[in-house]
Amino acid sequence: MLKKIPLHWQILAGMVAGLLLGFIADRLGAQQFVKHWVKPFGTIFMNLLKMIAVPLIIVSLVKGVADLKDLSRLSQMGGQSLVLYLITTAVAVVIGLGIVNLVKPGAGVRPATREKLLGAYADEAKGRIAAAKSEQDKGPLQPLVDIVPDNVFAATTDNRRMLQVIFFALLVGIGLILIAEEQAKPVKDVFDGLNEVILKLVDLVMLAAPVGVLALLAALMTEAPSADILLSLVWYALCVLAGLVLLIFAFYPALVWLFTGKSYRFFLRGILPAQLVAFSTSSSAATLPVTMERVQEHLGVHEEVAGFVLPIGATMNMDGTALYQGVAAVFIAQVLGLTLDLGAQLSILLTATLASIGAAAVPSAGLIVLVIVLGAAGIPQEGLALIFAVDRPLDMCRTVANVTSDACVAMLVAQNLDLLGEPHERRLDDVYPR
Ligand code: ASP
């Protein structure tokens, strides 16, 4: 019976049920029940996805690079991807800055509300500022140093060190291209087989998606801050949301249509389940297995491109996060009564674009790098406390944009390299109908 309902409807039903359950439990004072008896199922679902993410990155990148067979193709794909990541991210920040300067959500926040927010979230803000500061103290070349692991096995045990894992997998793939074909073949065969196994595991994990998202959203509802705090930030939240909606429903589908000729419906329908998982988990890294499967099998992107563009995109290409940083920085300045000249706004554009690359693909990572953006624009970093209350719901939405952007870039690169084919939904079709 359940097999007949398409996956995205099952997940949506789980989300609605989770929101309802959380709302009712909150009203009945049953938060502890949700915490102990419902939330663990959400945590298990997240862990299952994260468990697959690291092996998936290694296997798909090694296989993707090795399949390219020559290094010039790799640099072509790498170059195109990086340019597209940067362009889409910069466009996202420009959209965010445009909206927040037009609407001026910070102008409407009363001084009493400002003091209340600054007081209520001061400790949380301090924690994030300290985390960002310890990163900055390490020097300008530290991000480069951080990419190279001193122990690859240690790197695979920490989901925040994804870039190190990616670096290692890229090198192994390059090594496979450079050695003799007959020596490379058995190794590649193993990676081919492993790739199939891991994608099958994604199918199995996705069977639990409706229950997983139900549990995650129910728990979130019981942990949400009070309604009056949320209301005082509603204009700010709406500005971020408007920007994200523009990106997700206009900018990416338009790019895909313009450059690949694939329709609006084809693109959004293909990526929808990954968007729903991104929304529920707030983590591009946890969503990566689902994104990978959807992009390959429902959007027709060849494995070589998906295996390369998506893992790197999940860690580096964060348009939603960058847009949010632009809006948040200007909003904080507005609430604090500061005027930002063109120079300051341009520095926000630059640092938000670059800082989003450094954000980890995990919940709330955007908040930490926002500290750097605030510093660059001369905005007091303690102002971070102003936006804490609504960060989680916005994190959920910006993660959707992050994942959609990765899918869009993958399609454009695939089209450019003539590696965009027809969808072949064999793996999911075993489990779910279209
Ligand atoms: N949660 C986001 C992601 O994983 C990052 C962030 O904006 O905090 O894509």
Side-chain angles (χ1 to χ4, degrees):
M1 161 66 191
L2 213 58
K3 274 188 83 166
K4 295 226 164 58
I5 306 171
L7 175 63
H8 56 270
W9 285 118
Q10 292 189 34
I11 301 180
L12 269 173
M15 289 167 76
V16 173
L19 290 175
L20 275 178
L21 177 68
F23 180 75
I24 295 169
D26 205 39
R27 283 293 147 108
L28 297 178
Q31 292 89 346
Q32 289 302 316
F33 170 79
V34 172
K35 184 173 170 196
H36 295 303
W37 292 98
V38 180
K39 191 176 178 184
F41 292 102
T43 311
I44 291 174
F45 175 60
M46 277 268 288
N47 288 351
L48 282 169
L49 288 171
K50 290 200 243 171
M51 172 186 88
I52 302 176
V54 171
L56 177 70
I57 287 179
I58 297 177
V59 171
S60 63
L61 257 177
V62 171
K63 181 178 149 42
V65 173
D67 281 349
L68 286 175
K69 296 198 181 73
D70 79 88
L71 290 180
S72 67
R73 210 156 161 77
L74 174 65
S75 59
Q76 207 183 357
M77 187 155 80
Q80 286 180 10
S81 309
L82 287 183
V83 169
L84 284 169
Y85 293 152
L86 281 176
I87 293 178
T88 52
T89 308
V91 169
V93 187
V94 170
I95 293 178
L97 288 178
I99 296 177
V100 71
N101 279 298
L102 211 73
V103 178
K104 296 196 174 43
V109 175
R110 285 196 299 267
T113 314
R114 181 182 66 203
E115 296 314 316
K116 189 169 154 189
L117 288 169
L118 284 174
Y121 293 95
D123 286 346
E124 279 96 336
K126 266 193 211 125
R128 306 298 156 118
I129 293 169
K133 194 151 178 359
S134 76
E135 284 302 310
Q136 278 174 311
D137 284 348
K138 289 180 188 157
L141 290 185
Q142 190 61 35
L144 218 59
V145 176
D146 283 345
I147 294 179
V148 185
D150 62 345
N151 179 334
V152 73
F153 294 104
T156 56
T157 61
D158 183 353
N159 281 352
R160 287 172 188 271
R161 291 167 68 182
M162 292 282 193
L163 271 183
Q164 301 190 341
V165 178
I166 288 175
F167 180 78
F168 174 74
L170 275 176
L171 282 187
V172 175
I174 292 173
L176 280 172
I177 293 180
L178 294 177
I179 63 174
E181 178 82 34
E182 66 275 14
Q183 283 171 322
K185 177 142 188 344
V187 184
K188 274 164 67 179
D189 286 346
V190 171
F191 277 94
D192 273 352
L194 281 175
N195 199 37
E196 292 296 313
V197 172
I198 289 173
L199 284 172
K200 197 77 208 165
L201 292 188
V202 181
D203 283 345
L204 293 180
V205 172
M206 286 306 281
L207 286 173
V211 179
V213 297
L214 183 154
L216 286 171
L217 292 192
L220 264 182
M221 281 298 278
T222 56
E223 290 161 3
S226 67
D228 62 323
I229 285 204
L230 290 179
L231 274 178
S232 64
L233 292 170
V234 74
W235 282 107
Y236 155 69
L238 284 177
C239 284
V240 178
L241 280 183
L244 294 176
V245 164
L246 263 179
L247 281 182
I248 297 166
F249 296 105
F251 182 57
Y252 302 131
L255 275 184
V256 167
W257 176 72
L258 268 176
F259 290 99
T260 72
K262 300 285 184 193
S263 75
Y264 187 87
R265 192 179 144 82
F266 172 87
F267 177 63
L268 284 182
R269 204 185 145 102
I271 197 63
L272 183 60
Q275 292 176 325
L276 298 178
V277 173
F279 182 81
S280 307
T281 61
S282 281
S283 167
S284 314
T287 312
L288 181 63
V290 191
T291 319
M292 189 76 94
E293 176 161 60
R294 298 305 297 185
V295 167
Q296 285 183 32
E297 296 174 18
H298 294 255
L299 297 178
V301 173
H302 201 282
E303 297 178 321
E304 283 161 42
V305 177
F308 180 88
V309 174
L310 295 179
I312 300 182
T315 31
M316 291 176 66
N317 182 39
M318 300 207 180
D319 300 359
T321 304
L323 179 144
Y324 143 86
Q325 284 169 348
V327 177
V330 177
F331 171 76
I332 292 171
Q334 289 171 350
V335 177
L336 297 178
L338 305 168
T339 24
L340 296 174
D341 57 12
L342 190 66
Q345 303 249 3
L346 282 178
S347 82
I348 293 178
L349 170 62
L350 191 74
T351 43
T353 305
L354 296 179
S356 68
I357 297 175
V362 296
S364 284
L367 256 185
I368 299 178
V369 278
L370 177 58
V371 176
I372 299 166
V373 179
L374 293 179
I379 303 166
Q381 295 171 331
E382 292 68 31
L384 202 64
L386 292 166
I387 54 161
F388 241 91
V390 283
D391 191 64
R392 185 62 201 237
L394 294 182
D395 191 3
M396 297 158 81
C397 301
R398 63 190 191 239
T399 308
V400 175
N402 293 345
V403 165
T404 314
S405 172
D406 296 339
C408 166
V409 172
M411 285 191 78
L412 300 194
V413 173
Q415 172 75 15
N416 246 335
L417 299 176
D418 218 7
L419 289 169
L420 187 65
E422 288 309 310
H424 52 284
E425 302 168 41
R426 58 194 155 82
R427 297 191 185 95
L428 269 188
D429 270 358
D430 299 344
V431 191
Y432 296 106
R434 285 192 72 167

